[in-house]
Each structure stands twice: as C-alpha cells, then as structure tokens.
Amino acid sequence: MDARQLNETAKAMVAGDKGLLAMDESTPTANKRFAAIGIPQNEETRRAYRDMIVTAPGLGDSLNGAILVDETIRQQTRAGVPFAKALEKVGIIPGIKVDAGAKPMAAHPNEKITQGLDGLRERLAEYVKLGARFAKWRAVITIGDGIPSEGCLEANALILALYAALCQEAGLVPIVEPEVLMDGDHTMERCAEVTEQTLHTVFAQLVAQRVLLEGMILKPNMVVPGLKCPRQNSNEEIADATVHCLLRTVPAAVPGVAFLSGGQSGELASARLSAMNARFKGRLPWGLAFSFARAIQEPAMTIWHGEDANVPAAQKALVHRARCNVAARRGEYSPAMEKQ
Ligand code: 13P
C-alpha cells in the first residue's frame, strides 16, 4: 500500500469545487431506467449512452472523477478510445463500482446485505490494469419498524471495511458508501439517528480493519425526512442536521465527503448541498462534494432518448447539471440557474 499515493488520489477526487459522477448503474438498473422512458435495453444502447456522457464537451470542468461499472470499463467510445482513457484525457479520474449488489439478508426481513467480496482481490488487480484509480461499494440501510437491526449494520460495516482494505492493498482509493434510504414516512430526526449509528459502526470497522482514513472517500446520504413523511424540512434544516451528524462521526483525517443523491430531484440535491456549503464551508475538516448519479444524469437521459441526433442537447443538459453542483460546492447554487 502506497499511503502517499492513496492520499493524493483521494484529495484529487474532491479537489477544488468539482465532484464525482456516478455512471455505474448495474445492467439491470440501467435497463430499468431506459425501459421507464422507452429506450431499447441492450449492450449497444448502454454503450452509446455512456459514450454520450464521456464525450460531453466541458464535462472535465465540473468533475474530478467518474465511476464506471464492469461492462463500461471494457467499452470504448465510437472513436475507439476506451472509456477510462477518454476520461483521463479530459482530467476525470476513472473509478469502478466493485460490489455485486445488495441482496436480501438471511434472517433479517426487509434488510439487505451487499455481496461481492469473493474474488475481489483478483478483480481489483484487473481493474487497475484497465485504468481505474478508485473503487466504490454501496451498502443499503433501510429505516422501518424495528429496523435497521444491529446485525445488518454490523455486517454491512464489516464488509465495507474488508472491501476498503482490499482496495487500498491494490492501490485503489475506496469510496465507502453506506446509504440510508429515503423510502418511508420517517422524520428527518429518525434519519439523523440512523445515519449517525450507521456511520459510527462503519468507522469503527474501518479502524478495526486498518483502513487508511487519509486514503478513502465517504459517500453518505444527506440527512433528510422519508419521502412519505408529512413534514418535509427546509434545506437549511437538512444542511444543519447533515453536517451535525457528520461532525459527530467522520474523522478529520478523511479527505472528503461526496454525497449520493438517493432519489432527490436534481434541484433539491443541489440546493441542499449548496445550503451546507453556504453555512459551513471553510469551517469543516473535510470538503463537502457530490457523487451523484440521478441528480446529474436525469434530464440528459430523457433528452438523449437513444437517438444520435439528441446527443448535443443531452450533453448540454448533463454539463449544466454538473455545473449546478459545482455552484453548490461554492454555496452559490440557486434554482434560477436551472433556467439558464
Ligand atoms: P444517486 O445519486 O442516484 O443516488 O446514485 C449514487 C450512487 O452511486 C448510488 O450507488
């Protein structure tokens, strides 16, 4: 493990006001999103869609990194350039999602456990050869009646830590993503409680497994009320609750926090990130960045719709959403930007 190089890469992933783009939807998830808007679901449409993203002019001005998935890291642009190389060329560090998805957890009704540790050391070595410099693993925590259970939190945290240690052994910066889901009618306060408990458990395991905190990135959820909660808090309340939770749980040695969007609209995700930075930037030990998938890609996918002719308009929408999030890192996003 080269601690200095891991730290350099981790810092580069959250440097300046840029962030990360998650373009690592698994094949079933990508197909589901395509199906919902009538795009044919096959390897070539998935490749063409990722081609549209990777070749978007100016994308490197807003992104430090992009997360690919196994299929995509083996594909090329229409011009024959491997996606990882095309990203590097415009200053975007390529990364790779390496988990095998969250599956129902035995003896834990309604809870999930993320799979993919088997053979991970060998897969990581191959991804390094294919150009990846960081990796991602997502654990899913559900809030509900009597859940999350301690068993679910402990198991997911241990697996995240084992994954992170293997990444660092291979020279890859692990993005550690414990996602507390927004599904349900729970309050923001309940989300805060569960997120705090989750992050405490995750960092305890990261330390126990000797993960270099300086060589990782945390990808958490924002502390928000459940989608069906009757009381939807203000962006400022969400900003305060989220930062408060992170201050209590995330060691100062971690170079950066890059949020997932988790199904919030693009506008809300940007506004909430902006509220956090407007209130706290410069007073926190780590940068507050973004690692959004849906909140950057959503309008672009709809505009693209599988048609070559729509590529320039889709790329414009994509770059625009990325820029909105750069503004959010500065604490300067406003909904008026959406009309520009
Ligand atoms: P969303 O921003 O759409 O939640 O996706 C982020 C991600 O990478 C989920 O693993």
Side-chain angles (χ1 to χ4, degrees), residues 1 37 102 109 119 126 200 213 295 320:
M1 180 174 86
I37 51 176
E126 189 191 6
H200 270 312
L213 298 175
H320 177 260

Side-chain angles (χ1 to χ4, degrees), residues 21-25 33 67 97 99 136-140 175 177 179 182 219 259-264 269 291-298:
L21 167 66
M23 47 180 291
D24 61 337
E25 298 81 6
R33 301 216 168 126
I67 314 172
K97 185 247 288 292
D99 67 67
K136 184 195 99 169
W137 182 290
R138 172 174 175 257
V140 174
I175 294 183
E177 181 181 8
E179 174 174 5
M182 290 167 66
K219 176 165 174 166
F259 291 102
L260 58 96
S261 59
Q264 305 173 71
S291 177
F292 299 155
R294 284 162 286 183
I296 294 179
Q297 293 182 43
E298 234 154 38

Side-chain angles (χ1 to χ4, degrees), residues 47-79:
R47 192 210 62 77
Y49 177 66
R50 269 74 184 244
D51 194 331
M52 179 278 289
I53 295 178
V54 165
T55 60
L59 195 62
D61 298 338
S62 303
L63 297 183
N64 291 322
I67 314 172
L68 306 174
V69 63
D70 186 77
E71 179 178 273
T72 314
I73 203 169
R74 301 173 194 283
Q75 291 172 324
Q76 307 184 341
T77 64
R78 201 161 277 174

Side-chain angles (χ1 to χ4, degrees), residues 49 52-53 56-57 296-321:
Y49 177 66
M52 179 278 289
I53 295 178
I296 294 179
Q297 293 182 43
E298 234 154 38
M301 187 186 287
T302 308
I303 294 167
W304 175 64
H305 214 258
E307 311 275 346
D308 276 351
N310 299 334
V311 165
Q315 289 178 327
K316 248 179 135 168
L318 183 83
V319 170
H320 177 260
R321 279 263 87 249

